[in-house]
Amino acid sequence: MRAADFIIQALINEGVDCLFGYPGGAIMPVYDALVGAPLKHVLCRHEQGAALAADGYARASGRVGVCLATSGPGATNLVTGIANAYMDSVPVVAITGQVAKPLIGTDAFQEVDVFGITLPVVKHSFLVRKAEDLPRVFAEAFRIAREGRPGPVLIDIPKDVQLAEFSPTPFLTPVEVCEPLPELDIERARAMIASARQPLICAGGGVVIAQAVAEFRVLAEATGIPVVSTLKGLGCLPAEHPQHLGMLGMHGTRAANYAVQSCDLLLVIGARFDDRATGKLAEFAPHARVIHLDADRAEIGKLRAVEIGISAPLKRVLPRLGMALDIAAWREKCAADKREHGFRYDAPMPGIYAPHFLQELSARAAKQTVIACDVGQHQMWVAQHYGFDHPSRHLTSGGLGTMGYGLPAAIGAQFAEPNTPVILVSGDGSFMMNVQELGTIRRYGLPIKIVLFDNQMLGMVKQWQELFFSERYSEVDLSDNPDFCQMASAFEIPARSIALRAEQAEAIAELLAAPGPMLLHVRIDPKANVWPLVPPGANNATMMEGVES
Amino acid sequence: MSDLLYLQIRNDEGALERVLRTTRHRGFQLETFTVTTARDPQFFDVTLRVSSERPVDFLSRQFGKLLDVVAVSELRDASLARSA
Ligand SMILES: Cc1ncc(C[n+]2csc(CCOP(=O)(O)OP(=O)(O)O)c2C)c(N)n1
């Protein structure tokens, strides 16, 4: 059979129902094989959009996301999306066309060494030099992408290989061996938990990646240990759960950061001590012994020395750690901090206060709603003020912090879950980075709702210039923004603009009730900042606070 | 202080590049690097001597994540390694 037809067959066999891509010369045989195939191809309007849509699809569904591009510029345009998936451990398979084998290494038209370019941002990669390798490569690529700590895998396929005729021999991936759990470490961990007086759990994105949210909740409730979350761990416990203290770190809650600084045992589950979460590492959780559970052995002890490190599937380990604890006084102290330092939404201003808007959106949107966001102040406001019920409902670019992530990620999520409401929360800067994907919303009639916070600023950068560069503002002004409502209507997306708090409730109701896509343009105060803020280099107990007028 | 590491690596596309870029990116200077396929053309036997302010364990764990790397060992006794 023709290799290109085999590739489509291999995708179907892997359970792929939808892929995101953009055609071009070196991938034409695969696009030819797509015609009439029982596989949905989503034409994005930029390869970066396709890669980020595959990421959003994977995060929302827990399945492998697939993107497809041609050689040269098509391939280089994928790179940011691949890096985004790498930093957040998202299972993505990226397929690129390559110039024909005899041309490789000759600087042929649209030849780039995408294998070389992506080495630092893939979990693994393949350059397929003969069609006979395709069955093995596709089977391995999907297994590698999803197994252990997931990540992106690149498959680069020269055009002559795509056109080759061959007889595929099926390749069977080795069955995953179920390794015995490290019993000794589990026993030691149990003893350490049992003897702790002020234990704390830190939940990270690894919990949902391991599909262990249910086991996590059982453990948290059995032990009664208070929980803080990283950005990607939000939702491991539902936001309103009494044990949940909120996000830790740079824009974390006071309750969470105080708890970390005073706990005597920190149980870190599927998190990796990112600097935005730890603040000054040397002063992070200074009184705590640490138990670290992570699928990736190399994360254990990488940044913080730990007493016990366990690298085994969370689904099997977490149920082994449950026990009843007598920590009422500590729990009460954490709960009191949470009560005392809760967020306030009563700023007396006629304009719209983004945190309040998000809190109201959260209260009114359906529970299963997926929220995709971009990067900046609005992203942190979403993390702080939208109450997530499950981490798979929160699509946020954590590790790479990719502006332009939100719109394509929302599109990917909508394809993964056609019947689930999907809302994008974006900023006026980020939105423009992949705005071409409004064309994808229009083409497929996706009912995505867009909340666009317009502060006429690159807000997060402005906040840092204000606080840490003596208010010397450099290239953060966006007061010449386009008319976003007109822009939406050019894509046949209904739009509305609001600026007053008095309009908020009704506009949210209209947005949520809209049968198709809608853009809600929300003007906010350019001076608004994200609080609290742990300044860079400080420890997490040093939280700056501002006042909104 | 420098450390000696031995790796067995599958002779796959890009396998040596992955090892070298991991060494650089993770903050290790290469002092010696020897590669041979003499024992079995499907595998590279690699010995590298590296130095860094970071513990060598930091690097060997990252090597352990590379899918082409079949075995990693830290050779603590340098004289022993030389005679091997
Ligand atoms: C691709 C990319 N370029 C630059 C940055 C640096 N950056 C982080 S936040 C930010 C401003 C974002 O502005 P906007 O999307 O309007 O959101 P706001 O902070 O105003 O809510 C910038 C430029 C980035 N994270 N990603």
Side-chain angles (χ1 to χ4, degrees):
Chain A
M1 82 193 283
R2 190 173 58 152
D5 296 304
F6 172 82
I7 290 167
I8 299 302
Q9 197 51 52
L11 292 174
I12 294 168
N13 292 348
E14 288 295 339
V16 176
D17 57 2
C18 151
L19 70 164
F20 304 87
Y22 208 98
I27 193 74
M28 284 184 68
V30 173
Y31 272 82
D32 181 62
L34 264 172
V35 176
L39 184 61
K40 184 164 190 71
H41 177 273
V42 177
L43 180 72
C44 294
R45 294 306 173 93
H46 189 296
E47 290 86 353
Q48 184 183 122
L52 293 172
D55 172 310
Y57 174 95
R59 288 192 215 215
S61 67
R63 299 193 295 271
V64 178
V66 181
C67 57
L68 186 60
T70 191
S71 66
T76 55
N77 274 349
L78 288 181
V79 173
T80 299
I82 295 174
N84 193 72
Y86 181 73
M87 293 295 280
D88 281 352
S89 310
V90 182
V92 166
V93 169
I95 302 168
T96 47
Q98 181 54 278
V99 299
K101 266 181 317 189
L103 294 175
I104 293 180
T106 66
D107 307 312
F109 177 63
Q110 294 196 329
E111 184 198 0
V112 298
D113 175 14
V114 67
F115 183 95
I117 289 175
T118 55
L119 276 178
V121 291
V122 293
K123 186 172 171 193
H124 196 62
S125 44
F126 300 92
L127 170 56
V128 184
R129 292 189 187 264
K130 47 182 199 298
E132 287 68 25
D133 287 341
L134 285 168
R136 174 182 61 83
V137 166
F138 272 77
E140 295 264 59
F142 277 82
R143 177 181 65 81
I144 292 166
R146 70 167 90 86
E147 209 175 78
R149 179 178 183 175
V153 177
L154 174 87
I155 309 178
D156 194 29
I157 315 174
K159 190 170 182 180
D160 53 338
V161 173
Q162 298 168 42
L163 289 168
E165 289 289 334
F166 79 121
S167 324
T169 38
F171 178 85
L172 297 178
T173 44
V175 209
E176 226 180 305
V177 279
C178 185
E179 295 203 15
L181 293 177
E183 294 296 337
L184 202 65
D185 285 336
I186 290 177
E187 276 322 304
R188 288 173 55 221
R190 289 186 62 85
M192 210 175 268
I193 294 168
S195 66
R197 312 242 306 267
Q198 308 200 135
L200 186 69
I201 292 175
C202 172
V207 175
V208 65
I209 291 171
Q211 306 193 343
V213 174
E215 290 79 2
F216 176 87
R217 291 180 178 179
V218 171
L219 172 69
E221 292 190 337
T223 56
I225 300 177
V227 173
V228 301
S229 297
T230 67
L231 178 66
K232 287 177 60 213
L234 289 170
C236 282
L237 276 193
E240 72 278 11
H241 194 287
Q243 277 166 256
H244 185 240
L245 305 178
M247 183 168 75
L248 84 164
M250 182 172 274
H251 290 296
T253 63
R254 284 185 177 269
N257 282 336
Y258 289 152
V260 173
Q261 292 311 96
S262 53
C263 66
D264 66 356
L265 174 69
L266 189 62
L267 185 53
V268 179
I269 307 181
R272 59 180 176 84
F273 298 91
D274 176 80
D275 52 278
R276 287 293 191 267
T278 62
K280 186 175 185 183
L281 190 61
E283 292 170 22
F284 177 70
H287 313 295
R289 299 199 286 176
V290 175
I291 301 173
H292 189 185
L293 313 183
D294 201 286
D296 182 355
R297 231 173 269 278
E299 287 301 337
I300 289 172
K302 183 179 84 175
L303 290 163
R304 162 84 183 228
V306 301
E307 269 66 29
I308 301 173
I310 297 178
S311 187
L314 291 180
K315 248 182 146 44
R316 291 168 57 215
V317 179
L318 296 181
R320 300 288 306 282
L321 297 177
M323 67 186 79
L325 297 175
D326 180 15
I327 50 168
W330 163 243
R331 289 183 55 158
E332 181 40 40
K333 182 188 175 298
C334 291
D337 274 344
K338 185 178 169 183
R339 276 193 306 274
E340 191 176 331
H341 303 290
F343 289 115
R344 295 187 55 171
Y345 300 103
D346 50 2
M349 55 198 233
I352 290 171
Y353 180 48
H356 180 239
F357 181 100
L358 289 166
Q359 188 221 21
E360 184 161 355
L361 183 69
S362 173
R364 303 253 224 108
K367 279 263 179 265
Q368 74 278 19
T369 302
V370 172
I371 302 290
C373 53
D374 264 300
V375 171
Q377 293 180 310
H378 64 280
Q379 176 191 29
M380 292 299 112
W381 284 323
V382 166
Q384 291 176 330
H385 307 287
Y386 196 95
F388 289 99
D389 252 20
H390 195 281
S392 71
R393 304 297 86 183
H394 181 205
L395 308 185
T396 195
S397 174
L400 197 64
T402 311
M403 288 173 70
Y405 173 71
L407 180 52
I411 290 170
Q414 191 72 81
F415 277 103
E417 299 184 25
N419 300 316
T420 302
V422 176
I423 302 178
L424 164 67
V425 178
S426 190
D428 49 335
S430 298
F431 188 63
M432 293 291 281
M433 283 224 179
N434 272 317
V435 72
Q436 77 286 345
E437 300 307 329
L438 289 177
T440 311
I441 291 188
R442 176 186 182 193
R443 161 176 284 242
Y444 299 97
L446 304 175
I448 292 170
K449 313 291 184 270
I450 302 170
V451 172
L452 179 52
F453 283 122
D454 184 353
N455 54 6
Q456 315 246 311
M457 284 279 174
L458 295 172
M460 185 58 97
V461 180
K462 177 226 64 182
Q463 176 166 352
W464 280 52
Q465 290 176 350
E466 177 186 333
L467 300 174
F468 309 122
F469 290 86
S470 331
E471 299 183 48
R472 282 162 57 86
Y473 296 113
S474 178
E475 302 296 328
V476 290
D477 176 273
L478 296 182
S479 56
D480 56 352
N481 269 329
D483 181 329
F484 289 110
C485 292
Q486 261 192 41
M487 203 151 147
S489 56
F491 292 92
E492 292 172 351
I493 297 171
R496 171 176 176 185
S497 187
I498 58 171
L500 296 175
R501 186 176 279 215
E503 301 170 289
Q504 177 174 307
E506 193 251 317
I508 289 176
E510 183 185 348
L511 182 78
L512 295 177
M518 180 174 169
L519 181 141
L520 183 59
H521 175 242
V522 184
R523 277 193 189 283
I524 56 170
D525 182 358
K527 294 194 292 301
N529 280 334
V530 184
W531 308 113
L533 166 73
V534 176
N539 79 44
N540 274 350
T542 320
M543 281 168 278
M544 298 168 68
E545 199 75 57
V547 254
E548 299 306 334
S549 50
Chain B
M1 225 219 29
S2 67
D3 294 274
L4 202 58
L5 287 168
Y6 162 77
L7 309 178
Q8 189 186 20
I9 306 175
R10 233 176 268 119
N11 188 348
D12 287 344
E13 187 97 34
L16 288 176
E17 275 172 274
R18 288 185 219 271
V19 166
L20 286 172
R21 77 149 289 276
T22 300
T23 306
R24 169 187 58 75
H25 174 63
R26 298 292 174 178
F28 288 75
Q29 283 79 47
L30 206 52
E31 293 179 357
T32 61
F33 186 73
T34 55
V35 191
T36 170
T37 52
R39 218 161 39 92
D40 178 345
Q42 297 198 343
F43 292 94
F44 294 116
D45 286 306
V46 177
T47 16
L48 24 70
R49 178 177 290 284
V50 293
S51 61
S52 175
E53 281 165 15
R54 292 182 171 158
V56 69
D57 186 49
F58 186 92
L59 180 61
S60 55
R61 283 176 191 235
Q62 295 297 333
F63 283 153
K65 286 173 65 168
L66 298 177
L67 281 111
D68 317 303
V69 172
V70 185
V72 187
S73 42
E74 294 170 21
L75 304 177
R76 291 188 195 281
D77 186 334
S79 59
L80 215 162
R82 261 196 296 277
S83 65

